[in-house]
Amino acid sequence: MADSAKARFRTLLILGAPGSGKGTQGLVLGQIPRFHHLACGDVFRSLDTRTPLGQKFVQYSSRGELVPDDVTVALWRANITQRVDSHAFKPEIDLLVLDGIPRNVEQARLMEADIEVLKVFHLSCPDRAELARRLRKRALKDNRFDDASEAVIQNRFATYEAETKPILEHYAGARVVNIDASQSPARVMHDILGHVLQLPAWQEIERMNV
Ligand code: AMP
């Protein structure tokens, strides 16, 4: 796929602690024509848990830890290639919306040849008690075993602080936008779209009118 001769996917990253609403925002954005949403956690959850990779996912996620970078990026690459090949994602006319990947600086480096990061939306919510409340609610509704235990929730927060948050430094500058994730999902979406509409890449897509 994206070798040096090929254009990188024009990408928006949604970053935030577990429970900050990444998935919700990604899902809504992905419903709008010319945005293509990919949630890495969903790709992992779609794996057959009897396969070695599926087992690996259960092993790490049940502890609130990240799956190792090499297998994660390889899985992501295989998945996005499939989407391009089936024309579900059309890189010439779509923006890619990634949630849950890259999840640390090493993954960001490994994906540098594949994605051109236009904006990083940091869904910021310092109130961890509120995030934990959202996760417990989701655990019941969506059967998410990794959100069901208090110890795993706390470990997911710790993993986010230690491994994922440094990505903000990696992409530091105008590309990073802080969004108040304690707002209603509608307001968060309004804020994100306000920034997206200003992007030259997005305006170019609009002009193509496909
Ligand atoms: P999420 O649905 O994004 O909260 O992801 C659920 C779990 O899947 C995480 O706690 C990790 O164990 C695993 N996971 C998802 N995305 C990644 C990633 N980019 N790198 C490593 N592990 C991941």
Side-chain angles (χ1 to χ4, degrees):
M1 315 193 308
D3 54 40
S4 54
K6 273 192 177 170
R8 295 179 298 166
F9 305 138
R10 294 171 294 182
T11 303
L12 307 173
L13 300 185
I14 307 186
L15 209 112
S20 61
K22 298 187 298 290
T24 302
Q25 295 301 321
L27 216 58
V28 174
L29 205 49
Q31 289 300 310
I32 304 174
R34 306 281 67 88
F35 293 91
H36 185 86
H37 171 234
L38 186 156
C40 192
D42 288 347
V43 176
F44 274 124
R45 277 183 290 277
S46 72
L47 294 172
D48 185 333
T49 52
R50 294 167 302 179
T51 61
L53 194 51
Q55 281 293 311
K56 213 161 202 166
F57 165 63
V58 172
Q59 179 196 338
Y60 285 94
S61 63
S62 63
R63 296 196 298 245
E65 293 171 9
L66 298 183
V67 180
D69 298 331
D70 50 351
V71 289
T72 297
V73 173
L75 176 69
W76 172 78
R77 224 173 249 139
N79 190 277
I80 196 74
T81 302
Q82 232 172 42
R83 291 172 188 226
V84 172
D85 290 348
S86 66
H87 307 286
F89 167 46
K90 307 176 187 71
E92 325 78 50
I93 52 171
D94 291 340
L95 291 189
L96 180 60
V97 179
L98 290 182
D99 106 52
I101 190 164
R103 198 83 157 220
N104 58 28
V105 172
E106 180 56 20
Q107 291 182 12
R109 289 208 186 98
L110 290 171
M111 293 166 71
E112 225 137 73
D114 304 294
I115 58 174
E116 178 194 3
V117 177
L118 305 176
K119 280 271 176 238
V120 180
F121 293 107
H122 172 214
L123 305 190
S124 163
C125 180
D127 183 354
R128 292 291 185 255
E130 164 61 15
L131 295 182
R133 189 189 66 81
R134 292 181 184 179
L135 292 179
R136 283 191 292 269
K137 203 167 128 194
R138 176 168 81 183
L140 295 175
K141 236 180 78 200
D142 298 348
N143 210 7
R144 285 277 302 259
F145 61 86
D146 54 339
D147 290 335
S149 118
E150 200 53 41
V152 177
I153 287 178
Q154 292 310 322
N155 206 30
R156 270 158 65 72
F157 288 152
T159 302
Y160 173 74
E161 291 293 333
E163 301 191 44
T164 307
K165 236 177 164 182
I167 289 189
L168 293 172
E169 288 299 314
H170 179 78
Y171 291 115
R175 268 190 299 181
V176 176
V177 181
N178 289 310
I179 307 271
D180 176 2
S182 66
Q183 304 179 99
S184 69
R187 283 192 194 280
V188 172
M189 178 50 51
H190 176 261
D191 288 356
I192 291 177
L193 275 178
H195 289 278
V196 172
L197 297 180
Q198 306 295 323
L199 283 172
W202 173 253
Q203 291 168 358
E204 185 193 316
I205 289 172
E206 280 186 320
R207 277 196 300 274
M208 290 166 80
N209 195 23
V210 281

